[in-house]
Amino acid sequence: MVSADFSVNSGAVFTEAIGNDRLDLLTDYPFTRLANLLAPITPRANVAPVLLTVGEPQHTPPAIIEETLRASASGWNKYPPVGGTPEFRAATGDWLTRRYDLPAGLLHADSSILPLSGTREALFMLALLAVPTQKAGRQPAVLMPNPFYAPYEGATVMAGAEPVFLSATRETGFLPDLDALTPELLERTALFYLCTPANPQGAAATPAYLAKAIGLARQYGFVLAVDECYAEIWLDAPPVGALQVAAKLHETNGLPYADGKPWSNLLVFHSLSKRSSAAGLRSGFVAGDPALIGRFSRLRSYGCAGMPLPILAASTALWRDEAHVEENRAAYRAKFAAAEAELGGRYGYYRPAGGFFLWLEVGNGEEAARRLWAEGAVRVLPGAYLSRSNPGEPNPGEAFIRVALVQDTDTVAQACASIVRILG
Ligand SMILES: Cc1ncc(COP(=O)(O)O)c(C=O)c1O
């Protein structure tokens, strides 16, 4: 139990056990750990700091945002509905249908999509939706890749489930090895968080991989949550999406579209934070299984703020525009080219399928992060802060740093040159 000192109005000071002790099972959040690691270090004088830690694109946000926010300002004095507006659902439904080549009419936007004030809080809430008291008579398990996006673990622990960290290393193509999952584990699995393109490694799941994951979710009765928030930041070809694969499975099974079940057990998460360089807008959506979406809507009515109407309007316009997304992709391609030119083949550099991270093998990620900050004022994240050790196995992030290519091309090139100069 956590203890805290309270000063009360009477002036009395007392100590009382407070709170949910599950919170103490979590480490500090990765960026808090990084701040603690680097706090004692003062970078060399006369060097401007370069922040490559947070996945927060520094590109100028599209003008559409300001225009639509201004035009819909009358909506600020209204509580927004949990389900958003019909226009938002239509825009995101049309976008999914276009982007993933879904058969016309297969996705019913009104029953299959919910707006989210950023995907982070919904990925967290999802565990409260998906984790039952027990599964197969035991503590439920929640599967996630290792390394992983920190909220997956936080949500799992706070929901009372056991997080199961599935190594996603070079040997497994930087995605969890689905063939290694035992029936014993799958039977008590309540939820599987998958991320494609993966943060941090940028690997994209193939159609066969996603088909297998969807099949397992249906066979063992768990929720498959596919975090596709980097889906629009790709270099050579658009990564396949889980809805796309589910639609194909549905077609090949010969089921009529009208049965309404092409998406069973499946939810996908999309965000404007990376696609539209609009992390501050807090805008995303979840789409998929209408039964799960209905229950999610019910849960969210109790625990979540709806997306404000002006933000729904801005988001609707952004999902209907591709020009700014093309520009973003071109900017990331230039940055990867610049990074590649500076790094050569060092640190196991590879060109990722998607996302905007370099995942560099530097020997000791924490030591490298300290040196880069001290000697070059370059701030990167140690890979171990995104991963966990399983008993008897090395931590799959320990030897890595994550470098977010969120600054402009010249800054990225200079930072990569500093990495080579300092780490050799
Ligand atoms: C893998 C992954 N999922 C989800 C998110 C959350 O994005 P947002 O809450 O801005 O939609 C992030 C943000 O960094 C992420 O890296």
Side-chain angles (χ1 to χ4, degrees):
M1 264 299 176
V2 193
S3 297
D5 287 332
F6 288 97
S7 296
V8 291
N9 288 343
S10 66
V13 175
F14 62 93
T15 301
E16 190 174 314
I18 54 160
N20 186 338
D21 51 353
R22 283 179 184 152
L23 195 53
D24 302 306
L25 298 173
L26 300 175
T27 60
D28 281 341
Y29 203 70
F31 298 116
T32 310
R33 292 177 76 185
L34 180 70
N36 291 337
L37 179 79
L38 300 185
I41 300 171
T42 306
R44 267 193 14 224
N46 304 326
V47 187
V50 182
L51 308 183
L52 303 174
T53 50
V54 184
E56 180 192 66
Q58 297 302 299
H59 305 177
T60 309
I64 300 174
I65 298 179
E66 229 179 284
E67 289 156 17
T68 42
L69 286 180
R70 206 176 305 118
S72 51
S74 62
W76 287 120
N77 66 357
K78 299 201 171 52
Y79 276 117
V82 169
T85 55
E87 292 79 13
F88 176 88
R89 293 191 296 273
T92 46
D94 290 351
W95 180 80
L96 284 169
T97 299
R98 260 193 332 271
R99 166 68 172 82
Y100 293 116
D101 200 18
L102 305 179
L106 186 59
L107 183 82
H108 299 275
D110 284 343
S111 56
S112 306
I113 298 180
L114 281 179
L116 307 171
S117 293
T119 52
R120 184 215 298 237
E121 56 97 12
L123 287 162
F124 184 91
M125 278 306 262
L126 177 63
L128 301 185
L129 180 78
V131 173
T133 316
Q134 288 205 321
K135 178 106 192 282
R138 281 170 296 161
Q139 184 191 22
V142 173
L143 313 185
M144 66 196 72
N146 193 20
F148 53 91
Y149 180 49
Y152 305 160
E153 184 192 19
T156 301
V157 168
M158 296 311 289
E162 181 197 347
V164 177
F165 305 108
L166 308 172
S167 278
T169 59
R170 205 184 300 278
E171 292 67 44
T172 66
F174 288 125
L175 291 169
D177 178 2
L178 300 181
D179 293 325
L181 303 173
T182 62
E184 184 276 333
L185 173 61
L186 289 163
E187 275 158 16
R188 67 186 183 94
T189 295
L191 171 62
F192 187 171
Y193 288 106
L194 251 185
C195 187
T196 175
N199 171 4
Q201 314 95 319
T206 61
Y209 186 96
L210 286 167
K212 179 151 208 161
I214 293 168
L216 290 173
R218 291 175 181 169
Q219 183 183 349
Y220 289 96
F222 61 80
V223 176
L224 177 65
V226 186
D227 181 350
E228 298 182 346
C229 86
Y230 292 93
E232 290 297 89
I233 312 298
W234 43 264
L235 293 177
D236 299 322
V240 72
L243 292 182
Q244 188 172 8
V245 172
K248 275 274 173 288
L249 286 175
H250 192 67
E251 202 173 46
T252 50
N253 286 344
L255 297 171
Y257 293 152
D259 80 3
K261 299 226 162 104
W263 323 121
S264 48
N265 298 63
L266 176 63
L267 292 174
V268 299
F269 291 77
H270 282 273
S271 172
L272 290 176
S273 299
K274 326 292 175 181
R275 176 185 183 268
S276 302
S277 310
L281 194 65
R282 308 312 301 131
S283 179
F285 69 84
V286 56
D289 187 335
L292 290 172
I293 291 286
R295 288 179 66 74
F296 215 171
S297 173
R298 181 179 160 97
L299 178 66
R300 295 178 62 75
S301 303
Y302 279 95
C304 298
M307 184 188 287
L309 291 168
I311 296 183
L312 279 163
S315 307
T316 301
L318 287 171
W319 287 111
R320 290 215 179 273
D321 184 72
E322 292 295 337
H324 74 278
V325 191
E326 295 283 345
E327 276 174 33
N328 265 343
R329 272 194 290 270
Y332 286 115
R333 281 191 197 108
K335 291 193 254 192
F336 272 102
E340 201 165 322
E342 294 295 339
L343 297 174
R346 290 179 186 85
Y347 324 118
Y349 172 85
Y350 59 94
R351 190 177 156 89
F356 48 57
F357 298 111
L358 303 175
W359 184 237
L360 302 179
E361 192 163 4
V362 292
N364 178 330
E366 262 195 344
E367 180 54 26
R370 263 198 297 257
R371 288 188 59 202
L372 290 172
W373 184 237
E375 297 171 40
V378 174
R379 211 165 166 103
V380 302
L381 191 65
Y385 293 4
L386 300 168
S387 53
R388 296 277 172 271
S389 302
N390 282 319
E393 289 174 23
N395 181 328
E398 205 157 54
F400 289 81
I401 51 172
R402 189 188 80 172
V403 182
L405 303 189
V406 289
Q407 308 290 348
D408 62 65
T409 307
D410 286 350
T411 309
V412 162
Q414 282 161 25
C416 289
S418 300
I419 291 174
V420 172
R421 176 174 53 79
I422 294 163
L423 300 183

